[in-house]
Amino acid sequence: MAGFRLSARSTEPEWMDDAAQGDAAFRSALRDLEFLNRISLGYRPTLAWLDGLVARRGATTLSVLDVGAGGGDMLRRIARWGVARGVTLELTGLDRSPAAAAAARDAGTPGSWITADLFDLPRDARFDVVISALFTHHLPDAELARFLLWMEAHARLGWMINDIHRHAVPWYGLWAGTRLLRLDPMVVHDSTVSVARAFTRADWTRLTAEAGLDARVTWRFPFRWSVSRDVAP
């Protein structure tokens, strides 16, 4: 076990990022990741931020782009949030994996889908809100400032990142929990790698400074960071 080597971000690859993974293995991992997100309250930071944005801007309609949308579980939660809040939504998922689009469609994810590398999105493609959840830890440091500026360029009202805090507690908790629950082998492997690849407040302070953006970095229970910014109208 390497849980104690968390002083800096790991560069160990995640199995899910391997394009050679078969469709069946990918879908099995997505199902268990949705389960983990649900029991770990992983959707709450994004939904809480949307609540605040709607209150600040008085918005009754929103177009939302979810980057690294995977199987569409976050978009399905946002769709239910919109119904509960009376907000009319236009939802779009973006993921470079064709398997993600198929899994999201089969799970009944509402909205449209873009299968592409995010940096290939046309410059004039803009959305009211751009979000990402459990995606940024997949990116190396060299691409993160570029991604922050990309979100700034494609969002009309604001953008928000929801990702893991790099810390021994979630590392060991996931190491034990994924095994006790007998989750998918890809999830067992990638869960702790994700924590090791994730962030501290100091990381986000440095990365947002490198991008030249005055972003809000907020701790969210349990062991999550919300990094967000309202875009000037």
Side-chain angles (χ1 to χ4, degrees):
M1 295 192 296
F4 57 88
R5 294 196 293 271
L6 297 173
S7 58
R9 293 188 68 206
S10 171
T11 58
E12 181 180 353
E14 296 187 43
W15 292 357
M16 183 167 276
D17 290 335
D18 183 354
Q21 292 289 347
D23 184 68
F26 189 75
R27 286 177 181 245
S28 177
L30 287 175
R31 284 193 295 270
D32 282 358
L33 282 174
E34 182 172 2
F35 169 73
L36 274 182
N37 276 328
R38 188 170 65 251
I39 65 172
S40 68
L41 311 179
Y43 302 109
R44 288 190 178 185
T46 301
L47 300 179
W49 179 78
L50 286 170
D51 276 334
L53 181 87
V54 166
R56 290 190 300 275
R57 297 298 184 100
T60 58
T61 64
L62 283 179
S63 59
V64 179
L65 176 67
D66 183 9
V67 182
D73 53 317
M74 179 61 80
L75 289 174
R76 294 192 292 275
R77 296 305 191 283
I78 292 173
R80 293 203 286 271
W81 168 88
V83 171
R85 299 295 190 276
V87 178
T88 302
L89 296 170
E90 180 183 341
L91 302 177
T92 304
L94 187 156
D95 199 291
R96 69 181 182 181
S97 169
R105 181 185 62 245
D106 292 348
T109 307
S112 58
W113 204 267
I114 300 170
T115 300
D117 184 283
L118 68 98
F119 293 119
D120 291 336
L121 195 70
R123 289 177 179 269
D124 60 354
R126 301 193 74 208
F127 305 82
D128 294 329
V129 167
V130 180
I131 62 167
S132 73
L134 300 181
F135 169 70
T136 48
H137 68 263
H138 291 268
L139 299 177
D141 273 12
E143 288 188 4
L144 278 164
R146 182 186 179 194
F147 178 60
L148 292 171
L149 291 169
W150 182 95
M151 296 184 87
E152 181 85 3
H154 288 282
R156 296 188 191 96
L157 299 181
W159 52 262
M160 186 266 192
I161 291 166
N162 169 3
D163 216 327
I164 312 168
H165 176 48
R166 189 176 72 250
H167 191 278
V169 170
W171 195 99
Y172 284 109
L174 286 166
W175 187 94
T178 55
R179 287 162 172 79
L180 287 171
L181 293 168
R182 299 184 178 181
L183 298 186
D184 181 89
M186 194 185 305
V187 174
V188 172
H189 175 270
D190 284 359
S191 60
T192 50
V193 174
S194 293
V195 175
R197 291 183 61 99
F199 307 95
T200 63
R201 182 183 290 275
D203 293 323
W204 281 122
T205 299
R206 172 178 54 82
L207 290 163
T208 54
E210 287 176 5
L213 296 173
D214 182 19
R216 182 183 298 109
V217 180
T218 307
W219 168 263
R220 296 291 185 184
F221 177 86
F223 292 98
R224 294 280 182 127
W225 289 110
S226 165
V227 184
S228 64
R229 176 175 157 85
D230 286 7
V231 177

